[in-house]
Structures are given as C-alpha cells and as structure tokens.
Amino acid sequence: MIDLRGVRLGYGRTAVLSELDLAVREGEILVVVGPSGCGKSTLLRALAGLLPTSGGEILLDGRPVRGTSAERALVFQDDGLLPWRTVLRNVELPLAIRGAAKAERRARAVEWIEKVGLAGYERRLPRELSGGMRQRVQLARTLAGTPRIVLADEPFGALDAQTRASMQRLLVKVWQAHPTTVVFVTHDVDEALYVGDRIAVLDRSGRVERIVESPFPRVADADTGSVKAEILSALGVMAEAA
Amino acid sequence: MSSPTVRWVVRIGSLTAALVAWQLLTAADVRLWVRFDQLPTAVEVAERFWAAAQTGEYYQDLGSSLGRILAGFALAVVLGVSSGVAIARSTLVHDILQPVFEVVRPIPAIALVPIAILLFPTNEEGIIFITFVASFFPIMVSTRHAVRALPTSWEDAIRTMGGGRRRVLVNVVLPGALPGVFSGLSVGIGVAWICVISAEMISGQFGVGYRTWQSYTVVDYPGVLVGMITIGLLGWLTSASVELAGRRATRWLPREKQS
C-alpha cells in the first residue's frame, strides 16, 4: 500500500534519513522502533506529507505522496488537542473540515467519544482531563476523520506504565473493530511486540536494520522472549533479562 | 491573605490611606524640601471634582478623549493583529514590513506630533493617528510572538485532517494566539491612553488632557488635579475592560491565581 523507495529526508543540508526502503501493507499495524534521533518522527512527518522528501519517493497505491491529506492522519505524543475546544468540538473537527452537516458531525463525534470510553466528558476542556484521557480524545478525533492510514508518533510515550497498558489495549480493541493501516512509532519494544504485526527496526543512521514479525500480535502476556531478544540485539542493546 | 473580604478591606484601606496622607500633608502646609503648601488639598479637589461633574463641559471632554482612544485603539487592534499574524506566517510579508517597523518602532509616538500636524487636516485625526501608532506596535509585536510560539502539533493536526491554510488560520492561529494578543492589548491600551492625553495637551481642542493643561495655564491647580484624577480613573477603566475581555476570551487557559 505504501512504498518507500530510497527515501532521503532532512532539514536543510543535514540528512536525518538516507536510503530508507520500507513497505507498509494494507490493514497492518507496522511498528517502527529505533534509537532516539534515528529519524522515526521525521519519517512519520514525511508520510503525512508535512515534510517533502529530498530524495527517493514515497508511493501510496503507486502514486507519489504530495502534501497533506485527510487520508493520512497524524497522532501526536503531546495529544495535539486544541485546548479551547471541548472534547466534543475537538472530535468534531475532522468532520467539520470535511464539511459534514452539523447533526451528522455531532452524532459521529458522540459515537466515537463513547467508543473510547469517555461518554459524559463531551463538554469538558482538555485541561480538565488526565493525560490518558486526552490521548483517548485524540484517538477518537483521529478515527472520526476515517483516515486510511494512521501515523502514530509515540502516542503513549508520555503516559505512566499503567495508563500506557490500558491505552494499548484500547487501541487494539478499537483497531479490531475498525481495521485501519497503522504506522506506529515507539521506543518501547514490549509495546511494539504487543501492538504490531510487524516491527521495523531502524539503525542509528535511519536505515531499516531488519523487519521482525511479531509472533503473537495483540495477544496479552504472550511470551515474546526470543523475538524480543532479537529486536534488542538489532537495536544494539544488550538483551537484558529477555 | 486569606479571605477575599480581607483582601478587599486591605485594598480599599490602602487607597483611603493615600487620600488621608494627601489631605494631612497639604492642609498642614508641610514643607520638607518637597513643598506641600503649594498643592491643593484633597478636600478642595473633591469639591472641585463635584462641581466639574455638574457641568456639560466635563462630559464633553470625557467623550472626546474616549472617542479618540477608542478610534485609535480599534484601528491598532485590527491592523496590529493582522500584520502580526501576516509577519509571523509569511517570510515575504516579514521581509517587506519588518524593516520599516524596526525603524519606526523606537520613535516615541508623541514625537510624531509634528508629522501628525503636517499629515492630517484636523487635530482630531492627528490625535487618533498618534494613539494608533502608540498602541499598534505592542499589539503587533505580541501577536507576532504568540503566533510564532504556537505548538506545531496544532497546525499539523489540522493539516493532516485535510484542512488548508484558511482552516489553520481560523481554527488554530487566531484562537491559539489570543492569550498573547491580549497581553499586547493590555500594554497597547495603556500607552494609547498616555498618548491621547499627551497629544491633547499639545494640540487638542476639548478632551481631558487639553482641559488639564488649560487649567494649569490659568493657574487653576485644583482643576489640574481633577483632570489628573479623571485621567487615572479612565485609564484604569479602559485597562480593566481589556483585562476582563481577555479573561473571558481565554477561559480555556490553565487556571492561574486571579489577582
């Protein structure tokens, strides 16, 4: 579905990624892990169309990606919610941008807020919610726009371990009900193994070091020992107590 | 500093103490290098204030000063916010406008009086022009800073929902910059007021500043103080209105301690 061929990305003259080849399959959750600074976030911004490539090409269904579009939605670590809009009005935003009628907008937003478990919080402002709840709102907002591809940039990176685990379960549940292609960036290998179908491990220079199939995607408490060790060694980390 | 009542008592007490000190110092004709014997007493000024408040002239002056400040300030809000946004969002606009602004900005607005007199057919327009220039820069500069400081994720979110430049402007830039814009408005209304009064003193017909200066030239000191107090009260009123509007418009900000 998405093909990256020899993609080179950079700000100014410094290259963040050079020569990246990667294919994303329709309907899968592809997790990208890599050392910090290897260009994972830059890659997502390029896929979203926010950053032009300085070499190679990004193809979506065979056509080069140019500019942003509602079919490629970005999910942020810092939630990206507009703080002056209520939960409801944040979730309505992608529908409003698409020009949906008011009644439809409202109905769809309410439905999504319910799906992420926030019914009753429609009128709250983001500042009145916890970090985990704000990420739920962001999930609802992203999916209310029915994108073809969700590009998630360490969405649970700033959450505490417990909230993070419950957000992972929610993501999996929602994804199973509404299968979408997802590119998910994280630096948490356990998260990668639980959430992903496949895990692309980038090396320090932003090249794909290897691609690992998750043995038990979305199975809670799976024994991922040997695969985890493989990913950790690809990342150049000593396999501590795998 | 516990209950709000206590705090209000302290605030009112502080104002009263200042008035009492004034009355005592002037009534006793105290001369301690600073000469309070020349200054009218608080009671004299209060009587004078009461008398002035019965005349139509006083309200005519209030009306002209308020009209001038509102006209100048309104112009500054519209042009300051729009040029601040444009400079922050477009390198071309930045390169066109910024050099001119950087040169003009350090000139105190009141130093533009000669130019205002040359440019405009009547004093009225000249005063509005000076007020506009004075409040334009703080508003433009804080708008520019506020727009530049917006988190990129807000704009990126709108764009990856399929929104274009207009959407970003209406749904992110303008509402997001509002707290910064309002801090510019607070500064702007303050300097606008200073400039209206100063310009009126130099070239006005009617207006609180003009009347205050008139009283001084005819050695009517209580009249001068009435003018000054009026200026203070009106300045406080206009600033408070801007603060209030700002707080209303930015309720979504994390709550800080109210002053």
Side-chain angles (χ1 to χ4, degrees):
Chain A
M1 177 188 206
I2 308 175
D3 262 304
L4 294 108
R5 293 185 188 155
V7 169
R8 211 187 108 89
L9 295 171
Y11 301 97
R13 304 198 70 185
T14 49
V16 180
L17 279 174
S18 44
E19 296 293 305
L20 182 85
D21 294 293
L22 187 64
V24 184
R25 301 172 190 157
E26 179 119 39
E28 75 169 342
I29 301 185
L30 175 73
V31 179
V32 180
V33 295
S36 50
C38 74
K40 304 183 294 266
S41 300
T42 313
L43 171 64
L44 284 194
R45 291 178 61 79
L47 286 171
L50 289 164
L51 184 74
T53 54
S54 47
E57 49 185 2
I58 301 176
L59 301 174
L60 173 59
D61 297 333
R63 269 190 302 258
V65 161
R66 228 165 251 124
T68 50
S69 133
E71 64 175 14
R72 283 168 280 123
L74 199 51
V75 175
F76 308 87
Q77 182 172 351
D78 71 348
D79 76 48
L81 299 178
L82 303 181
W84 52 88
R85 285 182 164 241
T86 59
V87 168
L88 183 68
R89 302 231 310 130
N90 261 293
V91 178
E92 281 183 345
L93 200 54
L95 299 156
I97 289 173
R98 209 199 295 136
K102 198 170 176 178
E104 191 212 331
R105 223 192 282 168
R106 176 113 339 162
R108 296 275 299 281
V110 167
E111 198 179 300
W112 275 107
I113 292 168
E114 215 173 281
K115 278 181 193 160
V116 298
L118 285 180
Y121 289 91
E122 290 85 354
R123 309 272 161 200
R124 299 295 187 89
L125 286 171
R127 69 168 160 84
E128 301 172 299
L129 306 180
S130 68
M133 288 162 99
R134 285 203 293 271
Q135 286 299 357
R136 284 167 190 258
V137 178
Q138 185 178 208
L139 188 63
R141 183 178 74 174
T142 307
L143 294 172
T146 52
R148 285 185 62 201
I149 304 155
V150 174
L151 307 162
D153 191 2
E154 298 200 36
F156 312 143
L159 303 177
D160 62 81
Q162 262 184 321
T163 314
R164 171 187 281 235
S166 79
M167 285 305 294
Q168 290 164 357
R169 284 195 297 276
L170 175 71
L171 175 78
V172 164
K173 194 180 110 195
V174 170
W175 180 85
Q176 279 162 344
H178 305 268
T180 315
T181 310
V182 179
V183 181
F184 190 103
V185 162
T186 181
H187 57 248
D188 177 344
V189 175
D190 290 312
E191 179 168 85
L193 284 165
Y194 174 57
V195 167
D197 292 289
R198 293 189 305 147
I199 296 136
V201 184
L202 302 192
D203 65 15
R204 211 158 280 287
S205 64
R207 241 179 281 255
V208 178
E209 155 77 28
R210 89 181 57 181
I211 292 183
V212 179
E213 303 263 346
S214 181
F216 312 105
R218 296 172 287 280
V219 175
D221 307 316
D223 177 19
T224 52
S226 63
V227 188
K228 186 176 176 185
E230 185 189 346
I231 294 172
L232 287 172
S233 79
L235 281 168
V237 179
M238 292 297 288
E240 8 92 64
Chain B
M1 288 297 118
S2 44
S3 77
T5 336
V6 172
R7 295 189 61 195
W8 275 108
V9 168
V10 172
R11 290 173 194 187
I12 292 163
S14 138
L15 260 181
T16 318
L19 281 174
V20 168
W22 173 15
Q23 176 64 27
L24 291 178
L25 287 169
T26 48
D29 287 341
V30 174
R31 286 183 76 118
L32 300 156
W33 187 61
V34 222
R35 295 159 305 171
F36 288 100
D37 56 341
Q38 301 289 319
L39 217 59
T41 66
V43 172
E44 266 180 282
V45 173
E47 280 165 4
R48 193 53 208 285
F49 207 135
W50 182 250
Q54 315 291 319
T55 64
E57 195 185 64
Y58 182 75
Y59 297 99
Q60 189 182 15
D61 288 335
L62 275 187
S64 1
S65 292
L66 276 176
R68 287 162 183 163
I69 195 175
L70 289 182
F73 187 66
L75 265 176
V77 172
V78 173
L79 293 178
V81 170
S82 50
S83 63
V85 169
I87 288 173
R89 303 280 301 168
S90 148
T91 22
L92 179 66
V93 176
H94 175 273
D95 290 345
I96 292 172
L97 294 182
Q98 197 64 11
V100 183
F101 285 170
E102 285 309 318
V103 174
V104 177
R105 186 152 70 106
I107 306 172
I110 205 66
L112 295 174
V113 166
I115 290 184
I117 289 171
L118 294 177
L119 277 179
F120 294 97
T122 71
N123 284 343
E124 193 64 27
E125 287 136 14
I127 294 172
I128 292 173
F129 169 73
I130 285 161
T131 313
F132 157 72
V133 173
S135 45
F136 171 80
F137 285 108
I139 295 172
M140 186 272 287
V141 170
S142 31
T143 304
R144 196 185 67 197
H145 283 306
V147 171
R148 289 223 176 111
L150 290 174
T152 49
S153 65
W154 294 349
E155 177 173 353
D156 292 349
I158 298 287
R159 289 179 59 194
T160 58
M161 287 173 203
R165 279 177 78 93
R166 245 188 91 80
R167 271 283 172 191
V168 171
L169 184 71
V170 173
N171 287 345
V172 172
V173 174
L174 294 178
L178 217 51
V181 169
F182 265 99
S183 70
L185 297 189
S186 290
V187 179
I189 193 84
V191 291
W193 192 239
I194 292 169
C195 285
V196 166
I197 299 298
S198 318
E200 282 176 351
M201 284 183 169
I202 297 171
S203 69
Q205 284 161 319
F206 310 117
V208 182
Y210 166 78
R211 192 66 55 202
T212 306
W213 194 251
Q214 278 301 300
S215 307
Y216 177 69
T217 53
V218 299
V219 213
D220 171 14
Y221 295 131
V224 172
L225 285 181
V226 167
M228 286 169 59
I229 290 168
T230 308
I231 293 166
L233 288 176
L234 278 184
W236 171 68
L237 190 75
T238 45
S239 298
S241 322
V242 170
E243 293 284 330
L244 184 70
R247 228 174 295 157
R248 287 262 161 113
T250 56
R251 278 176 202 273
W252 50 271
L253 279 180
R255 281 275 176 279
E256 33 184 337
K257 278 215 178 109
Q258 302 285 304
S259 56

